[in-house]
Amino acid sequence: MRLPPGPSAGRLRVWILACFSTRSIKMALNMKQRMDAGLSRKAARSSVSRSSVVKVRSVAAPAPPAAAVQEAKKAYGVFRLSYDTQNEDPSLTRTWKKTIKVAVTGASGNISNHLLFMLASGEVYGKDQPIALQLLGSDRSKEALEGVAMELEDSLYPLLREVSIGTDPYEVFGDADWALMIGAKPRGPGMERADLLQQNGEIFQVQGRALNDSASRNCKVLVVGNPCNTNALIAMENAPNIPRKNFHALTRLDENRAKCQLALKSGKFYTSVSRMAVWGNHSTTQVPDYINARIGGIPATDVIRDMKWFREEFTPKVALRGGALIKKWGRSSAASTAVSVADAIRALVTPTAPGDCFSSGVISDGNPYGVKEGLIFSFPCRSKGDGDYEICDDFIVDEYLRSKIRASEDELQKEKECVSHLIGMMGGSCSLRGAEDTTVPGEN
Amino acid sequence: MRLPPGPSAGRLRVWILACFSTRSIKMALNMKQRMDAGLSRKAARSSVSRSSVVKVRSVAAPAPPAAAVQEAKKAYGVFRLSYDTQNEDPSLTRTWKKTIKVAVTGASGNISNHLLFMLASGEVYGKDQPIALQLLGSDRSKEALEGVAMELEDSLYPLLREVSIGTDPYEVFGDADWALMIGAKPRGPGMERADLLQQNGEIFQVQGRALNDSASRNCKVLVVGNPCNTNALIAMENAPNIPRKNFHALTRLDENRAKCQLALKSGKFYTSVSRMAVWGNHSTTQVPDYINARIGGIPATDVIRDMKWFREEFTPKVALRGGALIKKWGRSSAASTAVSVADAIRALVTPTAPGDCFSSGVISDGNPYGVKEGLIFSFPCRSKGDGDYEICDDFIVDEYLRSKIRASEDELQKEKECVSHLIGMMGGSCSLRGAEDTTVPGEN
């Protein structure tokens, strides 16, 4: 595929119209967008045409053309362009839904090393939901990505119908129904939160644009890489083609940890804790909500009659759990983070129990609690199990809770101002320089 | 609890009879056994009385006595001596089976870090099977064990009803229905297989005795730590109270990898590969059996018409897969190993599909293929799903297969002779010194 000579937008448009395949149009649009974004035409072309993706499909398809076979041969492992499904057990595959495409960033990292196997096992999306995994890594982690793919092959998961790996988000997010954005730069020694916001913000700006360009129009996006609320905001603002409602920041690990702490304190098993909302930012300003939480159906504050504990110990116990774990364990809590990602997805694809909720960082637009709009803010949510959700409107917010929520809201507003240049917002200035570090420890 | 004065067996018996709780009797018997095993009474007492286990139960029970509450308070985290189950969802718990106890060694290692979460999720033993995890670590890994337990807490698995951790196998194996023996010493630089056998053999001798002493009389034992066949043999020979049939060495990872390679070579999906037996030792002398394997119900050799590939490439591809993975991935294949452990357990607790098999290293006594008795040897097996199994008797063993099986059998016999002193066998001498290293790479 060659560009017509001359750089004018008009000529480019004519050339686009002359393209006959959707793929070509998409590539051209990609290229135009990247050129608009300041890349030279040459760089844009090379960036679009480079195929760092080894991508192979498993749907029953007519015999692939010679070129495709060639491509399949280049692919390592068991995942190929087309499978002859005639030999498969129909009792297994008959009731299966259409394959969904799940893109995962930071795919060779520790959290993904747990998560990918949970996804492939059917534990998350259901035993009747075949999935395709589209794994994004960096140039540095390319070999490791292959290692992950090899381990997925050896695991023989029947529902895992396709695995592709790559380093270009525009390719890897292609037609993705879900994008699980695990990858982020960890905080280096002496790095301020403002620097972390900047560095990761740039990654999420690029990935947001790639989602906008390549992903399914109804793609659900879950950001795990920290600072996850603001990263999700940046991705969202750079992906205007995808509904704002579809972006989530992971606060489910905080919710799970909060449930565990309430169980521990009350001497009940964790399954008896419900309506455990976490409000606000996934940082130490997070607000695990003990006002609305229930233990065995009874308000938590009626079971644990110790307001001093709630006010002074509960929140730090939840927020600093990751750090406590690192001290014991010597490494960060990859497994339980992956479990909470699985829980967060499951919360959207299975109906919420009546009266219960789940916590997720979502766009605050139109929220019933007066939280400033335009922020990715964790709220109690409920879902019909269709991938969509609504913010619960029946949570009691007392004076104390409101003040805590306000502090987290203020922090998110400041984070937003620090990344204003990444989300097309004018006149923001970063007041977080020199501020106290509120990063949740052990989450990088 | 104090011992009566004087060491005579008669007085000890009287004292035992005077004990009123089963627990006391057990402790006394433990102690007697250890004294028989040559420990001084003082050492035996300290060994029995030292409680390195933080153990807590979750069954509905009357209010615990003050002492128990005290003990529960010493326990960290959410797992406590007794739970008030009245607040739990009866629709969840009504159909649950009796809780099983699963002991896991090497519990703070990489394989366990995947496996424990798979076990707790219900993916392995079933969604109606509550489990108790009893985790064994070393003094060095005690803190890490706590970290694992904390992550399990935060994961809120409803089926995980009890977690205990400890460093004494006699305590940790207590009443275990399953013992998953993941822990083993890795091969150090320049260490010969004979040395590895010796060092790990000693560990499995101790753990075998502990199983004999403490575990359920029908405990199923799966050895993953390498050299797993001979480690399993040592454990078995040191645990005469447990049926020999109950001991397994993990060759399921080899089976899974073999299936993947047949799928890859044939261009079919891995779900279409069946009857994929691995015979013999989990070492490079293993025999992945392409003679009996089927692809889409058709003999693999009729689908892949390339005997040179089968004879020269297939087996090394399977046996050296772990090494290839390390090259790509930079670390050993913990996740897919854990998946194969899960598969191996599931193979015993769910019925085998008609005509299919699974591979497991089991005692060769009475096998229908003329393999020497008294070895832990991998055979094609099938199960009714009751935890038990039988060796399939309808596999064709041609001249070629027989010669390969014989070589693996010879190796296992030699390994057995190297550990003769650990299994009460007279006159063995180790001929493996200086022999070629047949350790499967990347499995330590």
Side-chain angles (χ1 to χ4, degrees):
Chain A
M1 162 151 287
R2 281 174 51 213
L3 259 185
S8 89
R11 292 191 68 169
L12 187 59
R13 243 191 319 271
V14 169
W15 175 76
I16 289 171
L17 290 170
C19 293
F20 49 91
S21 80
T22 331
R23 167 110 188 115
S24 305
I25 292 172
K26 237 177 169 174
M27 277 180 74
L29 284 171
N30 271 4
M31 188 147 38
K32 168 134 190 351
Q33 220 146 1
R34 291 190 211 191
M35 284 170 72
D36 291 348
L39 279 163
S40 75
R41 199 183 70 189
K42 194 176 158 192
R45 183 160 45 177
S46 101
S47 143
V48 169
S49 68
R50 90 165 171 273
S51 176
S52 51
V53 169
V54 177
K55 181 152 187 179
V56 283
R57 282 156 204 273
S58 62
V59 289
V69 170
Q70 203 55 35
E71 193 188 338
K73 275 189 184 146
K74 273 192 291 178
Y76 64 83
V78 81
F79 298 99
R80 294 181 160 276
L81 262 175
S82 77
Y83 280 114
D84 181 356
T85 51
Q86 73 185 10
N87 296 320
E88 292 188 43
D89 182 1
S91 73
L92 200 70
T93 57
R94 201 179 37 218
T95 56
W96 280 3
K97 299 174 185 163
K98 188 171 165 285
T99 302
I100 56 167
K101 293 172 188 294
V102 183
V104 182
T105 76
S108 66
N110 288 331
I111 297 169
S112 294
N113 196 231
H114 288 272
L115 180 61
L116 296 176
F117 293 82
M118 294 174 188
L119 297 175
S121 76
E123 270 294 270
V124 182
Y125 289 105
K127 291 290 182 189
D128 55 354
Q129 181 59 74
I131 71 166
L133 288 175
Q134 307 180 168
L135 310 182
L136 182 70
S138 61
D139 280 328
R140 205 169 46 83
S141 66
K142 231 165 154 177
E143 293 260 292
L145 275 188
E146 281 190 53
V148 175
M150 286 167 78
E151 282 214 77
L152 286 167
E153 289 165 13
D154 289 342
S155 299
L156 311 180
Y157 288 115
L159 288 164
L160 183 59
R161 309 304 298 193
E162 179 181 301
V163 173
S164 60
I165 63 180
T167 56
D168 179 352
Y170 285 81
E171 293 275 357
V172 172
F173 292 156
D175 300 322
D177 300 295
W178 290 78
L180 311 178
M181 304 176 84
I182 319 289
K185 254 200 176 118
R187 214 162 60 97
M191 192 192 281
E192 282 199 33
R193 188 167 177 88
D195 298 325
L196 189 69
L197 277 164
Q198 172 66 26
Q199 291 201 4
N200 278 305
E202 286 167 11
I203 295 171
F204 282 83
Q205 183 184 42
V206 171
Q207 295 189 353
R209 286 178 181 171
L211 281 171
N212 197 53
D213 205 51
S214 307
S216 150
R217 293 306 76 176
N218 196 26
C219 183
K220 309 288 187 288
V221 183
L222 174 58
V223 177
V224 178
N226 283 317
C228 64
N229 294 55
T230 298
N231 288 344
L233 182 79
I234 294 166
M236 182 193 79
E237 294 292 1
N238 283 281
N241 290 343
I242 297 172
R244 290 162 75 83
K245 257 200 107 169
N246 288 18
F247 287 80
H248 296 261
L250 185 79
T251 53
R252 182 60 181 249
L253 181 56
D254 304 306
E255 175 188 323
N256 286 0
R257 288 171 171 174
K259 279 180 169 166
C260 181
Q261 291 303 319
L262 290 188
L264 177 54
K265 181 73 179 170
S266 64
K268 307 275 194 278
F269 198 41
Y270 40 60
T271 48
S272 45
V273 183
S274 62
R275 280 176 84 80
M276 182 64 246
V278 171
W279 302 78
N281 197 5
H282 176 67
S283 77
T284 56
T285 71
Q286 67 180 257
V287 189
D289 171 1
Y290 56 82
I291 307 288
N292 292 282
R294 294 198 182 151
I295 302 172
I298 301 164
T301 49
D302 287 349
V303 178
I304 302 165
R305 308 187 70 88
D306 184 349
M307 287 311 288
K308 194 168 176 317
W309 181 83
F310 277 121
R311 294 204 168 195
E312 292 173 17
E313 292 186 45
F314 176 52
T315 303
K317 261 183 200 296
V318 174
L320 305 178
R321 175 78 164 175
L325 240 152
I326 284 186
K327 253 186 218 149
K328 292 280 181 199
W329 188 206
R331 47 179 165 174
S332 65
S333 46
S336 54
T337 304
V339 169
S340 75
V341 173
D343 287 343
I345 298 168
R346 219 183 280 110
L348 292 169
V349 299
T350 48
T352 311
D356 206 354
C357 75
F358 60 88
S359 309
S360 191
V362 296
I363 184 68
S364 58
D365 298 359
N367 76 85
Y369 299 99
V371 171
K372 196 173 160 65
E373 306 216 327
L375 298 175
I376 296 287
F377 195 90
S378 186
F379 289 105
C381 300
R382 63 177 159 240
S383 172
K384 294 189 183 77
D386 54 358
D388 204 0
Y389 66 91
E390 53 187 13
I391 297 172
C392 299
D393 57 5
D394 57 346
F395 273 58
I396 301 157
V397 178
D398 68 3
E399 215 40 57
Y400 177 80
L401 199 55
R402 188 167 306 278
S403 72
K404 292 287 183 190
I405 286 175
R406 193 79 69 207
S408 206
E409 181 185 338
D410 286 349
E411 180 178 61
L412 280 170
Q413 180 60 31
K414 282 181 187 149
E415 287 191 13
K416 186 177 178 178
E417 283 158 13
C418 289
V419 299
S420 57
H421 56 294
L422 299 172
I423 55 175
M425 196 173 85
M426 300 298 284
S429 73
C430 186
S431 59
L432 281 177
R433 294 234 161 260
E436 189 194 353
D437 180 29
T438 57
T439 308
V440 170
E443 308 274 285
N444 287 326
Chain B
M1 162 154 286
R2 281 175 51 214
L3 259 184
S8 91
R11 293 193 68 172
L12 187 61
R13 243 192 319 272
V14 169
W15 173 76
I16 289 169
L17 289 170
C19 293
F20 49 91
S21 78
T22 331
R23 169 108 188 116
S24 305
I25 293 172
K26 236 183 172 169
M27 277 179 75
L29 284 171
N30 271 3
M31 187 150 34
K32 170 140 188 348
Q33 219 145 4
R34 291 190 212 190
M35 283 169 72
D36 292 347
L39 280 162
S40 76
R41 201 184 69 190
K42 194 178 158 193
R45 183 160 46 178
S46 99
S47 144
V48 169
S49 69
R50 89 166 171 272
S51 177
S52 50
V53 169
V54 178
K55 181 150 188 181
V56 283
R57 282 155 204 275
S58 62
V59 290
V69 169
Q70 202 54 35
E71 193 189 338
K73 273 189 185 146
K74 274 193 290 178
Y76 64 82
V78 81
F79 299 100
R80 292 180 161 277
L81 262 175
S82 78
Y83 280 114
D84 181 357
T85 51
Q86 72 185 11
N87 296 320
E88 293 188 41
D89 182 1
S91 73
L92 200 70
T93 55
R94 200 177 37 217
T95 57
W96 280 4
K97 299 175 185 161
K98 188 172 165 283
T99 301
I100 54 168
K101 293 174 187 293
V102 183
V104 181
T105 76
S108 66
N110 288 330
I111 296 169
S112 295
N113 197 230
H114 288 272
L115 180 62
L116 296 176
F117 293 82
M118 293 174 188
L119 297 175
S121 75
E123 269 295 272
V124 181
Y125 290 105
K127 292 291 182 188
D128 56 354
Q129 180 59 72
I131 70 167
L133 288 175
Q134 307 181 168
L135 311 182
L136 182 71
S138 61
D139 280 327
R140 204 170 47 82
S141 66
K142 229 165 156 179
E143 293 260 290
L145 275 187
E146 282 190 51
V148 175
M150 287 167 77
E151 281 214 79
L152 286 167
E153 288 165 14
D154 289 343
S155 298
L156 312 180
Y157 290 114
L159 287 165
L160 183 60
R161 309 304 298 193
E162 178 182 301
V163 172
S164 60
I165 63 179
T167 57
D168 178 353
Y170 285 82
E171 292 274 358
V172 172
F173 291 156
D175 300 322
D177 300 295
W178 290 78
L180 311 177
M181 304 178 81
I182 319 290
K185 254 200 176 119
R187 213 162 60 98
M191 192 192 282
E192 282 199 31
R193 189 168 177 88
D195 298 325
L196 189 70
L197 277 164
Q198 172 65 26
Q199 290 201 4
N200 279 304
E202 286 167 11
I203 295 172
F204 282 83
Q205 183 184 42
V206 171
Q207 295 188 352
R209 287 178 182 171
L211 282 171
N212 196 55
D213 205 49
S214 307
S216 151
R217 293 306 77 176
N218 196 26
C219 183
K220 309 289 188 288
V221 183
L222 174 58
V223 177
V224 178
N226 283 316
C228 63
N229 294 56
T230 298
N231 288 344
L233 181 79
I234 295 166
M236 182 193 78
E237 295 291 0
N238 283 283
N241 290 342
I242 297 172
R244 289 162 74 83
K245 256 200 106 170
N246 288 17
F247 287 79
H248 296 262
L250 185 78
T251 53
R252 182 59 181 250
L253 181 57
D254 304 307
E255 176 188 322
N256 286 0
R257 287 170 171 174
K259 278 180 171 164
C260 181
Q261 292 303 319
L262 289 188
L264 177 56
K265 180 73 178 172
S266 65
K268 306 277 193 280
F269 197 41
Y270 39 60
T271 47
S272 45
V273 184
S274 63
R275 280 175 84 79
M276 181 64 246
V278 171
W279 301 78
N281 197 4
H282 176 67
S283 76
T284 56
T285 70
Q286 67 180 256
V287 189
D289 171 0
Y290 57 82
I291 307 287
N292 292 283
R294 295 200 181 151
I295 301 172
I298 301 164
T301 49
D302 287 349
V303 178
I304 301 164
R305 308 187 69 88
D306 183 349
M307 288 310 288
K308 194 167 177 309
W309 181 82
F310 277 120
R311 295 205 166 192
E312 292 172 19
E313 293 186 44
F314 176 52
T315 303
K317 261 184 201 296
V318 175
L320 306 177
R321 176 76 164 177
L325 241 152
I326 284 187
K327 253 186 218 147
K328 293 280 181 199
W329 189 202
R331 49 179 165 175
S332 65
S333 45
S336 54
T337 304
V339 169
S340 75
V341 174
D343 287 343
I345 298 168
R346 219 182 282 110
L348 292 169
V349 299
T350 48
T352 310
D356 206 353
C357 74
F358 60 87
S359 309
S360 190
V362 295
I363 184 67
S364 57
D365 298 359
N367 77 85
Y369 298 101
V371 171
K372 196 172 160 65
E373 306 215 326
L375 299 175
I376 296 287
F377 196 90
S378 185
F379 288 105
C381 300
R382 64 178 158 240
S383 173
K384 293 189 183 77
D386 54 358
D388 205 0
Y389 66 90
E390 53 187 13
I391 297 172
C392 299
D393 58 5
D394 57 346
F395 273 57
I396 301 158
V397 177
D398 68 3
E399 214 40 57
Y400 177 80
L401 198 54
R402 189 167 305 278
S403 72
K404 292 287 184 190
I405 286 174
R406 193 78 68 207
S408 206
E409 183 186 338
D410 286 349
E411 181 178 59
L412 280 170
Q413 179 61 32
K414 282 181 187 150
E415 288 191 12
K416 186 177 177 179
E417 283 158 13
C418 289
V419 299
S420 56
H421 56 296
L422 300 172
I423 55 175
M425 197 172 84
M426 300 298 282
S429 73
C430 186
S431 59
L432 280 177
R433 293 235 162 260
E436 189 195 352
D437 180 28
T438 57
T439 308
V440 171
E443 308 273 286
N444 288 326

